[in-house]
Amino acid sequence: MARMTLDELRAFRDAKRQDLARRDVEGKDIQIVVGMGTCGIAAGAKLTFDALVESIQKRGLENKVLVRQTGCMGLCYVEPTVEVIAPGMPTVIYGKMTKDAADELVQKHLVEGKLLDNHIFDRPAADIVKK
Amino acid sequence: MHYEIVDFVIDIVQNSCEAGASLVELRIDEDDEGIGFEVGDNGKGMDALQQARALDPFVTDGIKHPGRKVGLGLPFLQQALEQSGGRLKLESEKGRGTRLSFRFDTRNVDCPPVGDLVGMMVTVLCMPGPGEMLIGRTRGGYSYLLRKSELAEALGNLEEVSNLVLLREYVRSQEEGV
């Protein structure tokens, strides 16, 4: 493959954008935050990051989701950690999110709207248990 | 301990991003004998004592995580280099920034695998913090330069998944060359 120029990149972006605009007009309201501290990286956070991007694209959600990075979230014992902020769902920090679990996260949390019970390590209770 | 060389690099660049840098420069220089990296930033920098302590695994500033007693990023890198014939140089000035250069000897049997350089470059380009990041890559006589501001101008928000996918394709095309 020949080296892509910035102009070609722009053209790809515009084509992609039009394609996406046809499919969906909703804003990007889902955020996925991957912990990229020393602990996360050692546990394979880069692979998780790549797997999330691939999985989101595979399911056609790429215009709804932002994937961001942060440092250590303080849960080094269950790295890689991933925080998911999605409307209509409690904000959750999932632990042990290896690249295989990343695909499950996208399917269950983002597509089916269910929590991954075995991976929750922070922040679900107050949101779920409403009095 | 990190598994691949790219993991060490992501860790070091992440330090720069968390050090309040507005500019981060990454140089990757590869030849038949090894692969060298230089990570420079204009972040908060370290004085001589802080530099010495940064290489001590049992020291951390405790600001971000109070009560924590270890800081393993740089010590991991130093250990991996020491056990495989690599070298490391840390230069820093308080208030001005930090420059870390290190080189792995890829001929050494104990050298970690390099890993996915394209994915590493995409990951560090999308890290929050620095407004500008330059990645200069040379391999033999071949070289290219990536500029975060240019890529962000061409693509828009680098955290959008559709843009991440295009960014990866772009970086891969640069890496594979003509």
Side-chain angles (χ1 to χ4, degrees):
Chain A
M1 184 165 70
R3 273 168 86 169
M4 202 189 290
T5 63
L6 281 169
D7 284 334
E8 284 170 336
L9 184 62
R10 265 184 217 107
F12 273 126
R13 191 265 327 260
D14 292 341
K16 190 92 184 171
R17 195 159 281 176
Q18 282 168 3
D19 184 34
L20 292 175
R22 267 199 299 278
R23 262 194 272 164
D24 205 331
V25 288
E26 275 179 72
K28 290 169 192 55
D29 36 20
I30 302 171
Q31 284 184 50
I32 297 185
V33 188
V34 183
M36 280 279 180
T38 301
C39 46
I41 296 165
K46 180 184 163 292
L47 300 176
T48 303
F49 182 87
D50 294 345
L52 282 169
V53 169
E54 193 189 319
S55 179
I56 289 163
Q57 196 203 11
K58 199 169 73 187
R59 291 183 175 76
L61 297 169
E62 65 262 47
N63 57 335
K64 285 190 182 174
V65 187
L66 291 179
V67 180
R68 335 182 87 128
Q69 301 174 58
T70 188
C72 168
M73 297 190 223
L75 299 168
C76 308
Y77 52 99
V78 287
E79 292 287 345
T81 49
V82 175
E83 182 173 15
V84 188
I85 304 158
M89 297 279 285
T91 296
V92 186
I93 297 182
Y94 288 123
K96 302 183 184 174
M97 291 309 300
T98 55
K99 65 175 168 29
D100 302 322
D103 194 57
E104 190 190 349
L105 183 153
V106 175
Q107 177 61 31
K108 274 191 131 173
H109 194 118
L110 303 188
V111 178
E112 297 172 20
K114 292 177 189 158
L115 296 176
L116 282 68
D117 297 337
N118 296 331
H119 290 278
I120 299 172
F121 284 87
D122 200 4
R123 297 206 193 141
D127 294 302
I128 293 176
V129 186
K130 282 188 181 134
K131 284 174 187 166
Chain B
M1 177 66 110
H2 302 326
Y3 179 60
E4 293 173 330
I5 290 176
V6 294
D7 293 329
F8 293 100
V9 182
I10 293 172
D11 197 336
I12 298 307
V13 176
Q14 212 267 327
N15 289 346
S16 289
C17 295
E18 281 196 340
S22 59
L23 170 68
V24 177
E25 284 180 78
L26 168 63
R27 305 265 157 208
I28 310 165
D29 188 2
E30 188 177 6
D31 55 38
D32 295 340
E33 298 175 352
I35 184 162
F37 298 86
E38 190 177 311
V39 184
D41 69 58
N42 62 354
K44 60 187 172 188
M46 295 177 282
D47 60 31
L49 178 64
Q50 286 174 313
Q51 288 175 50
R53 300 181 88 186
L55 295 167
D56 181 340
F58 301 107
V59 173
T60 182
D61 65 11
I63 293 169
K64 194 173 165 202
H65 301 286
R68 184 171 290 184
K69 294 188 176 63
V70 292
L72 299 175
L74 272 169
F76 270 171
L77 174 63
Q78 194 181 31
Q79 183 187 3
L81 287 160
E82 277 177 4
Q83 68 189 20
S84 64
R87 55 177 194 265
L88 174 142
K89 187 166 135 196
L90 174 63
E91 298 161 283
S92 189
E93 194 181 330
K94 188 89 183 162
R96 297 291 296 276
T98 301
R99 183 165 298 273
L100 181 76
S101 3
F102 52 99
R103 185 174 169 86
F104 281 93
D105 177 356
T106 45
R107 297 163 306 175
N108 190 304
V109 70
D110 291 318
C111 182
V114 173
D116 169 23
L117 280 170
V118 170
M120 178 271 278
M121 288 187 254
V122 171
T123 301
V124 299
L125 281 168
C126 302
M127 281 182 179
E132 181 64 299
M133 182 179 293
L134 305 175
I135 302 181
R137 161 91 165 122
T138 54
R139 189 183 64 225
Y142 177 68
S143 69
Y144 61 89
L145 178 73
L146 302 173
R147 208 179 275 275
K148 181 177 178 175
S149 56
E150 268 179 8
L151 294 165
E153 183 267 318
L155 285 170
N157 185 350
L158 295 179
E159 288 171 343
E160 289 177 22
V161 172
S162 53
N163 290 340
L164 278 168
V165 173
L166 284 174
L167 180 61
R168 176 180 274 274
E169 277 178 38
Y170 179 76
V171 177
R172 184 183 294 127
S173 88
Q174 305 300 312
E175 180 66 20
E176 287 172 359
V178 188

